[in-house]
Amino acid sequence: MLKETQRSPFVKVSLGIAGGLLGGLVGSLAAVLLTQLIKQILDVASGQATIWLLLLPLVGVALAVLVLFGLGKGQSIQTLVPREATFPGRWGSLFSWYSFPHDIARADLTGDVVNASGAEEKFPWKLAPLRALAILSTVGLGATMGTESPAAHIGVATGVWLGTINPSLRPLVRPMGIGGGAAAVSALMGIPLVGSFFMFELSQRRQVPITLERVMAMLAGGLVGWGINAAFNLNLIRLVVPKVPPANLWDTVGATLFIGAIAGAITALTGEAIYWARGLRTKPVLRLLMGGIAMLLLAMVIGGIASPTVAFGPGGAAILWSETVTTTPYQLLAVALLRAASTTAAVVAGGCGGVFVPFLAIGDLSGRVFATAFGISADLAGAAGAAAGIAGGYRLPLTAVAMILGVGGPETAQITCLATVIVAALAGLVTARLANQLSSSLRLPSR
């Protein structure tokens, strides 16, 4: 078999496309099935009485911790160097299905995708069933976490699984994993390039070289995911479409600067807090106790300011509340900050889910704070803020750009959103660096 460096461009493109299409098909279907099941559970749970809206997220996170640390074995330590766990003996293959290697943080789904970038064949796909159970309980029972990282994780795992167990598909295992992740995200969003850029930007955190095979797998996977979304007419993530363009240049500039800065800064701080929370080495029971109490208190405060449903779920209910209820800028900003704290608390407690959708909601609410001040429509402010949240907090500016272009709307409204992404990316970068510097200075030993 030819080494990867010895393959011709035609072979690389062919392998990338074939792997992306096949991995994208199985990966997106697996992710859609999981997401649909989450939505069904979430719909039932969201219709319960107020007391259950407060308690069910705690139950969901507790079940996730039980699955990951009760059924799951091993000791998790978050690092950036993937290793392979070995389990000698005749029962080794069975243990590998629920034994977490030392370098895998059990609830960190994005971390697995990032760590395996460039070596997708080493992705810990055998742990996907346990993680799926933890995702189902966390997100399905209403914790403030989302479905995009779960989708990408399940998509990559399914693609790598199929390529690994079938000897004839071994040459395609890497592009199948890439295509599976891209397709899963695109299937959720209904926009082909969102999944492609999502996988690309995550891989760049490990500075993985850009090759023809990887590019073709990302593009093919994104296309398959979009096709699955269109074929089944899926509506898995609600995106705000700007309908009214800004009236003048001042509105555009003002909205761009203020929405980009506030949404980028808030989500960047939330991202730093989440990264810190995932790196905690406190015992799972203690984490669950601390994070669970914080989740409950924050949900009660959000319920007092807005409504108990606003504190429940990934963020769709919060956006719907902002669209249908007369609110003040102070209420919107308070709910955005409180939901940011609630997502962080869910991570501290051990919840297993994503932050893409929560960042969309936080950014959307933050953007609407400035709608009246600059005389722009609430939907434009919300769409710009949502894109800013992804660019500033998740640090995925290209994914945010793909989302804006895919959602559509008046041309000047799209330009406003695109400019907001630039401001948010810069604001998020500056905020994260300041937060890191402050954290480092506080950790320095006193003389």
Side-chain angles (χ1 to χ4, degrees):
M1 183 184 297
L2 289 176
K3 295 182 179 179
E4 185 175 352
T5 55
Q6 297 175 323
R7 294 170 181 166
S8 67
F10 175 78
V11 172
K12 293 179 181 179
V13 169
S14 300
L15 289 176
I17 293 175
L21 291 175
L22 184 56
L25 180 62
V26 296
S28 60
L29 289 175
V32 166
L33 286 174
L34 177 63
T35 306
Q36 288 282 33
L37 186 55
I38 289 172
K39 284 198 67 175
Q40 293 295 325
I41 297 174
L42 196 59
D43 288 343
V44 174
S46 62
Q48 303 305 308
T50 299
I51 185 63
W52 289 111
L53 294 181
L54 296 175
L55 295 180
L56 282 176
L58 303 183
V59 174
V61 173
L63 288 174
V65 172
L66 180 62
V67 167
L68 295 177
F69 292 91
L71 295 178
K73 305 300 179 182
Q75 180 182 5
S76 82
I77 300 174
Q78 179 169 306
T79 69
L80 294 178
V81 183
R83 305 183 186 93
E84 291 185 86
T86 57
F87 306 94
R90 62 182 299 181
W91 299 104
S93 59
L94 176 61
F95 291 156
S96 64
W97 283 89
Y98 61 92
S99 296
F100 286 80
H102 288 271
D103 61 347
I104 290 181
R106 303 185 191 188
D108 186 4
L109 304 173
T110 302
D112 280 354
V113 178
V114 173
N115 289 343
S117 294
E120 281 77 11
E121 64 276 7
K122 297 181 180 180
F123 190 87
W125 58 268
K126 288 186 177 181
L127 300 175
L130 277 187
R131 286 226 171 90
L133 289 175
I135 292 164
L136 199 62
S137 65
T138 298
V139 186
L141 292 179
T144 50
M145 304 192 77
T147 53
E148 88 305 320
S149 286
H153 188 278
I154 296 301
V156 175
T158 306
V160 174
W161 162 74
L162 184 60
T164 301
I165 65 169
N166 192 326
S168 63
L169 297 178
R170 292 285 173 82
L172 298 177
V173 63
R174 189 173 295 182
M176 286 178 68
I178 298 168
V185 176
S186 289
L188 261 65
M189 304 290 289
I191 304 172
L193 287 180
V194 167
S196 302
F197 279 124
F198 184 87
M199 293 297 292
F200 168 74
E201 291 189 289
L202 289 187
S203 70
Q204 290 310 293
R205 296 181 182 179
R206 292 294 303 274
Q207 298 182 339
V208 177
I210 303 172
T211 64
L212 281 173
E213 185 175 329
R214 294 188 69 85
V215 171
M216 290 299 104
M218 292 174 190
L219 293 176
L223 186 63
V224 169
W226 170 77
I228 292 293
N229 182 285
F232 292 98
N233 194 26
L234 302 176
N235 184 22
L236 300 176
I237 294 180
R238 184 174 180 272
L239 298 174
V240 177
V241 181
K243 300 180 179 64
V244 182
N248 52 55
L249 181 61
W250 165 245
D251 292 343
T252 302
V253 173
T256 295
L257 293 176
F258 281 87
I259 294 176
I262 191 69
I266 291 175
T267 52
L269 285 174
T270 308
E272 291 298 311
I274 288 171
Y275 185 81
W276 164 82
R278 281 180 172 153
L280 284 175
R281 299 187 184 180
T282 310
K283 291 183 178 180
V285 173
L286 184 57
R287 290 185 57 160
L288 177 60
L289 181 62
M290 294 188 302
I293 291 174
M295 287 172 61
L296 180 60
L297 293 176
L298 289 165
M300 293 172 65
V301 174
I302 294 173
I305 294 174
S307 166
T309 58
V310 175
F312 191 82
I319 296 176
L320 184 62
W321 165 78
S322 69
E323 292 176 336
T324 56
V325 177
T326 302
T327 61
T328 67
Y330 300 105
Q331 280 181 297
L332 291 167
L333 183 58
V335 172
L337 292 171
L338 289 168
R339 280 195 59 90
S342 182
T343 297
T344 305
V347 174
V348 170
C352 190
V355 296
F356 191 101
V357 177
F359 278 178
L360 282 177
I362 295 167
D364 183 290
L365 295 170
S366 302
R368 292 174 190 270
V369 170
F370 299 100
T372 303
F374 292 100
I376 61 175
S377 64
D379 53 15
L380 173 56
I390 301 306
Y394 218 142
R395 301 181 189 177
L396 300 175
L398 295 179
T399 303
V401 168
M403 184 179 72
I404 291 167
L405 298 178
V407 166
E411 183 177 341
T412 52
Q414 291 189 57
I415 293 173
T416 302
C417 293
L418 292 172
T420 304
V421 164
I422 297 174
V423 175
L426 294 174
L429 180 62
V430 171
T431 302
R433 287 189 175 181
L434 290 175
N436 284 327
Q437 290 178 0
L438 177 60
S439 176
S440 299
S441 65
L442 293 176
R443 286 198 300 265
L444 290 176
S446 58
R447 297 181 179 178

